[in-house]
Amino acid sequence: MEFTLLIVIIVLALIFDYINGFHDAANAIATVVATKVLTPFQAVLWAAFFNFLAYWVFGFGVADTVAKTASTMDINLVVILAGVIAAICWNLLTWWLGIPSSSSHTLIGGFAGAAIAHAISVHGFSGYLTPDGATHYWYNIVSWYKEGKDGGMPSGVVIIIAFIVLAPLLGAFISYLISIWLLNASRKSIWPKLFTISLMILTVWFVESQMLYYDKIEKPRFDSHFWSVAFEAHNIKWFLVAFIILSVSSFCLIFSSLNLNQANSILKKMQLLSSAAFSLGHGGNDSQKVMGIIAAAVAVYIHTSGVSQVSLPDWLQVVLPNEDLDIKGAMPGWIPLACYSAIAAGTLSGGWKIVKTMGSKITKVTSFEGVAAETAGALTLYFTEHLKIPVSTTHTITGSIIGVGLTKRISAVRWGVTVSLVWAWILTIPISALLAGLVYFVLSLFF
């Protein structure tokens, strides 16, 4: 029974990943469709390709964070099953209504809600002793907050909730700055060019400081030092950051010498780059969440079934990392490959209701705004992934679109639409948690 439940969870998790793809397809393609750079069909092909390409770019930091939403030693497989079912239901409902809610927060809310329901059903509201002698309560089953190792970034559900606000604000702030930068670059003045050159130098210096060289790479892919450094996943991510910033910088250096038609033509081509960059970030961020759920399910299966890690088949050899015990995480190749394939296939299916909301209802988007919004969104996703924080790609791109709208005037943003989106964001985690709790109690009658 336990093994059957595990297989069901893995299948449903991949179905959720597929739904996530078409639910969030609009995030990456809305602006290129709205500005008629690509047709809807071309846009989803473009986004799906870069969703899948993220498999070779990003690590598993976000997956680790999601897997540790609840203590895997204190839950069973029914908890994870309930969380995934609740997440699928909420995703389908918001997709049907055309609301760009967060698939990430749906999954985390569902996982946490089912875990809390399990703790209450097993221990009630009174305290109970854990094997180490500490007194815990029902709410302790969720990892709310954990300090980062050696002063690093803290983790936990509180940090994820904080980024419901911070991610769109960060996206809006970066897109506003990029828009102001581009607007000033169109002036025939030496100062914007000096600023751009300084930014290019600073970018090269910063990215170089983040590189992992051959002696620091744990498992080099090639004997050649050059190719090992060039194709190290950590390095590829920073190469992309440099490429994005340097590409926009190069355009800014020649912007003032172009006429309107020439500028629009180049900006439309740059939209292909910015939407590709955002699709990479979307694939890397959102696929990892499903990897985390699958990894947590395997860890729970090992704990509840009594099966030893050694006796598991090779395709289930998952190890959750533990910084305190200095244990490195491990995951068989089929899990990330399946997750990235599922989200790419989902993106190919499109999500046209949400495209309309993202591409036209928030603010009118031109190629200029599209480049600024997608570039800001991509940079935000790359940095949050680097910090292992599972943020919402939906919230990030929405904030970025609002940021470019603000450069025109405050009234250019349709705040009525925005307020309704914010309500959807606020309610996603608690509704998903409540729904998962109900699903858990129903499933507990049968398992």
Side-chain angles (χ1 to χ4, degrees):
M1 176 61 76
E2 291 279 338
F3 188 74
T4 303
L5 268 181
L6 176 63
I7 299 302
V8 169
I9 289 169
I10 291 172
V11 172
L12 284 178
L14 293 174
I15 290 172
F16 171 84
D17 206 19
Y18 171 81
I19 294 169
N20 187 0
F22 72 72
H23 187 277
D24 288 2
N27 298 346
I29 70 173
T31 60
V32 287
V33 172
T35 54
K36 296 182 172 59
V37 173
L38 294 174
T39 66
F41 180 70
Q42 290 170 332
V44 290
L45 279 176
W46 184 256
F49 173 74
F50 286 98
N51 273 172
F52 183 75
L53 201 63
Y55 170 62
W56 285 277
V57 177
F58 295 98
F60 305 130
V62 172
D64 174 36
T65 301
V66 173
K68 293 176 179 176
T69 299
S71 171
T72 53
M73 299 299 289
D74 297 321
I75 61 175
N76 56 30
L77 289 176
V78 178
V79 169
I80 301 178
L81 180 61
V84 174
I85 290 173
I88 289 173
C89 292
W90 180 247
N91 248 10
L92 288 175
L93 177 63
T94 51
W95 165 76
W96 180 257
L97 296 174
I99 301 170
S101 67
S102 168
S103 300
S104 313
H105 295 148
T106 303
L107 192 61
I108 289 162
F111 192 6
I116 288 172
H118 172 73
I120 292 172
S121 68
V122 174
H123 303 289
F125 294 98
S126 57
Y128 60 94
L129 290 176
T130 58
D132 59 1
T135 302
H136 278 198
Y137 293 88
W138 56 273
Y139 49 81
N140 292 128
I141 199 167
V142 173
S143 175
W144 296 105
Y145 181 85
K146 182 181 179 182
E147 290 185 0
K149 189 177 181 181
D150 299 326
M153 188 70 187
S155 60
V157 174
V158 170
I159 301 300
I160 295 168
I161 291 172
F163 270 83
I164 291 177
V165 177
L166 293 176
L169 284 179
L170 189 59
F173 180 67
I174 295 174
S175 66
Y176 182 83
L177 292 181
I178 292 173
S179 300
I180 297 298
W181 176 29
L182 288 169
L183 286 169
N184 281 283
S186 65
R187 294 164 41 213
K188 293 184 182 298
S189 170
I190 189 64
W191 297 110
K193 290 179 174 57
L194 289 175
F195 170 80
T196 300
I197 291 169
S198 300
L199 184 63
M200 293 172 80
I201 293 169
L202 187 64
T203 299
V204 171
W205 169 80
F206 177 77
V207 170
E208 192 280 332
S209 71
Q210 298 298 315
M211 290 291 101
L212 283 180
Y213 290 100
Y214 191 83
D215 57 333
K216 292 185 178 180
I217 298 174
E218 288 187 11
K219 295 180 180 179
R221 296 184 180 183
F222 305 94
D223 292 332
S224 165
H225 285 217
F226 175 80
W227 293 115
S228 294
V229 171
F231 285 96
E232 173 64 25
H234 173 88
N235 293 343
I236 293 174
K237 179 174 61 184
W238 290 112
F239 289 148
L240 285 169
V241 169
F243 181 67
I244 292 165
I245 297 175
L246 295 177
S247 297
V248 177
S249 299
S250 300
F251 172 74
C252 286
L253 290 175
I254 63 170
F255 196 1
S256 61
S257 63
L258 302 173
N259 61 40
L260 186 60
N261 289 334
Q262 289 173 325
N264 279 335
S265 176
I266 294 176
L267 281 167
K268 285 190 174 184
K269 291 181 176 66
M270 287 177 66
Q271 264 199 279
L272 295 175
L273 167 66
S274 59
S275 65
F278 190 85
S279 294
L280 270 172
H282 172 222
N285 198 283
D286 284 25
S287 290
Q288 283 193 56
K289 292 150 193 170
V290 178
M291 289 184 225
I293 289 295
I294 293 174
V298 174
V300 171
Y301 170 72
I302 292 170
H303 175 65
T304 57
S305 66
V307 176
S308 67
Q309 180 85 39
V310 178
S311 62
L312 281 177
D314 290 342
W315 63 276
L316 280 179
Q317 288 294 333
V318 175
V319 178
L320 291 179
N322 189 319
E323 290 184 352
D324 297 331
L325 299 176
D326 202 26
I327 296 174
K328 298 290 184 182
M331 194 176 293
W334 73 268
I335 295 178
L337 193 60
C339 290
Y340 282 110
S341 299
I343 201 167
T347 301
L348 277 173
S349 303
W352 311 121
K353 288 184 178 182
I354 299 175
V355 167
K356 187 177 179 182
T357 301
M358 300 293 285
S360 60
K361 286 188 178 180
I362 296 173
T363 188
K364 185 180 178 182
V365 178
T366 64
S367 293
F368 177 94
E369 282 94 14
V371 168
E374 289 162 350
T375 301
L379 291 174
T380 302
L381 289 179
Y382 292 175
F383 279 105
T384 51
E385 194 279 336
H386 178 67
L387 296 173
K388 303 181 182 179
I389 302 169
V391 300
S392 166
T393 54
T394 309
H395 297 186
T396 302
I397 194 62
T398 304
S400 300
I401 293 172
I402 290 170
V404 295
L406 289 174
T407 59
K408 292 179 279 189
R409 60 187 185 280
I410 292 177
S411 61
V413 178
R414 297 184 178 95
W415 294 104
V417 175
T418 306
V419 169
S420 66
L421 296 182
V422 170
W423 273 113
W425 300 350
I426 293 170
L427 294 173
T428 291
I429 287 183
I431 288 179
S432 300
L434 286 171
L435 182 59
L438 291 172
V439 172
Y440 171 79
F441 286 122
V442 172
L443 290 177
S444 295
L445 299 175
F446 301 97
F447 297 104

